[in-house]
Amino acid sequence: SRQDLWQMVQELTGEGMAVVWSTSYLDEAERCDQVLLLEEGELVFSGQPSQLTRRLEGRSYLVRDLRADPREFLSAALAMDSVCDGVIQGGSVRVVLGPQNNRRDVEAIAGPLGGVLHNVAPRFEDAFIDLLEGGSSGHSEIAARMQPIHDEHDTMVECQGLTKRFGDFTATDRVSFSVGRGEIMGLLGPNGAGKSTTFKMLCGLLKPSAGSAQVAGLDLRTSGSEAKLQLGYMAQKFSLYGLMSVRQNLEFFSGVYGLRGAEQRARIAEMIEIFHLQDFLDHSPDDLSLGFKQRMALACALMHRPRVLFLDEPTSGVDPITRREFWTHITGLVAKGVTVLVTTHFMDEAEYCDRVALVNRGQLIALDTPDALKARVVSDELPDPTMEDAFIQLLLEQDADEVAA
């Protein structure tokens, strides 16, 4: 959809129209003739995207061939003073070094794990993070305070033939997959593909028309209330209550998830501290910036220490630094044994997932690791495809197969 929109805009600019485009997708900003970067009300950069990106020449690296979990390596790298930024890229880790460009520090921790540093071209997003003096520290305080989860179930989420019909329309059509303990499963697809409908059935918010779903070994048809206490859910759209204050929302949702008394008060205080909500407790959530709304929604989903976390487009519309903060918490929780299902339209976020399920027109059309999905679409035209390339190509292949049939 974003590609279609860009094509329309380019046709308009080709006819002489001026366009002002506000976005948190920095790959979109990189397509613009000129960018204005704002931070806390101040203009911190004005010029062509390439002007900013050139500042990072020789400082962006891809660490490949790691024998360890790339999420663990990323956390270690982000804790280093010489690393400005880092993100997961399938089985590899992309790191951006500080101005000193001291790659030996990263090689020292990558070498024993088999990791090899490859210099790669900088991205506009790399330059944006560097301009703001770095992204996440790699430390999740909420994960640090959480005890490791020990569960007798190896499979924490499972659906078989999951189907949802609304009249004559089938939103989800016989979808089957399972998610292991401590795994991140990404659910991707175009708008209207059935991702959110599938999500809501797995959370017990929608009753399936056919098929079955289990969470933590509990059947959502017969043990729905018990299963819901094992999971945390963050909705696609901000879904807290605007008629209540931030404090009242925290009290309400902690109570819904079964917290009472001293434990409830302690968890609320913990979330206020970790997500920096102190200055907003008497405000309506409607008055918060999008970033703080999303932090608050995540806090409400995590207060009861769920074993399974459902995140429906948790970073939609937020800035890259806040996205990194969210993923630091997610990867930290996974290291403690939490199982995560996430939908996203940021294809670079899908790289954090252990596996990706691609849904189109209600059907599951691909399920594999990010690297394996990218490998499926390698060609002369796409020798080194991105996750977005794989996403689009696999959808086009399905469309072509249906036309041929």
Side-chain angles (χ1 to χ4, degrees), residues 104-117:
R104 292 181 181 176
D105 290 348
V106 180
E107 288 175 332
I109 62 171
L113 301 175
V116 179
L117 272 66

Side-chain angles (χ1 to χ4, degrees), residues 30 53-58 60 94 120-124 126-127:
E30 195 166 12
T53 305
R54 278 197 298 267
R55 299 181 187 180
L56 259 68
E57 287 292 344
S60 295
R94 184 185 180 93
V120 292
R123 303 179 304 186
F124 183 62
D126 297 340

Side-chain angles (χ1 to χ4, degrees), residues 12-197:
L12 293 172
T13 57
E15 295 171 1
M17 180 175 287
V19 174
V20 179
W21 185 288
S22 173
T23 182
S24 57
Y25 290 89
L26 293 194
D27 58 330
E28 290 184 342
E30 195 166 12
R31 299 186 186 188
C32 297
D33 299 303
Q34 182 181 13
V35 292
L36 305 172
L37 294 182
L38 299 172
E39 168 68 5
E40 295 184 352
E42 294 186 0
L43 183 66
V44 294
F45 177 79
S46 174
Q48 295 177 343
S50 58
Q51 290 178 256
L52 190 62
T53 305
R54 278 197 298 267
R55 299 181 187 180
L56 259 68
E57 287 292 344
R59 289 168 51 191
S60 295
Y61 295 88
L62 192 65
V63 185
R64 295 180 173 144
D65 305 320
L66 288 164
R67 292 193 297 266
D69 186 335
R71 293 191 288 259
E72 293 180 11
F73 175 81
L74 175 61
S75 295
L78 289 174
M80 303 172 71
D81 292 338
S82 55
V83 175
C84 170
D85 186 34
V87 294
I88 299 292
Q89 200 164 314
S92 304
V93 175
R94 184 185 180 93
V95 294
V96 179
L97 302 185
Q100 295 78 18
N101 195 12
N102 189 355
R103 62 177 287 170
R104 292 181 181 176
D105 290 348
V106 180
E107 288 175 332
I109 62 171
L113 301 175
V116 179
L117 272 66
H118 299 265
N119 192 252
V120 292
R123 303 179 304 186
F124 183 62
E125 184 163 314
D126 297 340
F128 175 89
I129 298 294
D130 180 69
L131 182 68
L132 300 183
E133 300 183 348
S136 170
S137 67
H139 174 74
S140 168
E141 187 60 29
I142 182 64
R145 300 187 190 192
M146 191 171 177
Q147 294 298 317
I149 293 175
H150 300 289
D151 201 291
E152 68 274 17
H153 301 288
D154 290 329
T155 299
M156 295 301 291
V157 179
E158 185 173 18
C159 58
Q160 292 290 336
L162 203 59
T163 301
K164 183 61 181 178
R165 303 184 190 92
F166 297 96
D168 295 332
F169 173 68
T170 302
T172 300
D173 187 7
R174 295 165 294 172
V175 168
S176 300
F177 61 80
S178 62
V179 188
R181 182 176 64 250
E183 182 180 12
I184 304 178
M185 170 72 84
L187 199 58
L188 272 61
N191 294 329
K195 303 185 305 297
S196 293
T197 301

Side-chain angles (χ1 to χ4, degrees), residues 231-370:
L231 61 88
Y233 174 64
M234 184 175 169
Q236 179 179 358
K237 300 296 182 183
F238 186 67
S239 58
L240 306 183
Y241 295 104
L243 294 178
M244 299 195 299
S245 68
V246 167
R247 186 192 302 276
Q248 289 169 332
N249 270 278
L250 293 170
E251 291 170 348
F252 173 75
F253 280 94
S254 59
V256 166
Y257 282 123
L259 297 177
R260 300 288 186 272
E263 183 182 25
Q264 181 184 27
R265 292 191 293 274
R267 294 286 177 83
I268 291 173
E270 183 179 69
M271 292 301 165
I272 290 170
E273 175 190 351
I274 290 172
F275 291 100
H276 308 292
L277 300 173
Q278 296 91 336
D279 295 337
F280 311 107
L281 295 177
D282 296 325
H283 293 226
S284 164
D286 294 342
D287 298 332
L288 303 183
S289 67
L290 179 59
F292 272 102
K293 285 180 180 178
Q294 298 296 75
R295 287 187 181 100
M296 183 183 164
L298 183 59
C300 287
L302 289 175
M303 273 190 291
H304 62 301
R305 301 288 199 268
R307 292 191 286 166
V308 182
L309 189 58
F310 289 84
L311 304 173
D312 197 358
E313 296 188 35
T315 62
S316 179
V318 301
D319 64 86
I321 290 180
T322 303
R323 290 207 307 274
R324 280 159 173 72
E325 175 192 331
F326 266 62
W327 278 98
T328 293
H329 289 307
I330 293 167
T331 56
L333 291 166
V334 167
K336 291 297 181 76
V338 176
T339 302
V340 176
L341 273 79
V342 59
T343 71
T344 180
H345 283 302
F346 288 97
M347 293 297 105
D348 56 339
E349 286 188 347
E351 301 269 18
Y352 281 83
C353 300
D354 295 295
R355 290 184 298 151
V356 169
L358 183 56
V359 178
N360 191 32
R361 298 175 185 170
Q363 296 182 332
L364 183 64
I365 65 170
L367 175 60
D368 216 325
T369 66

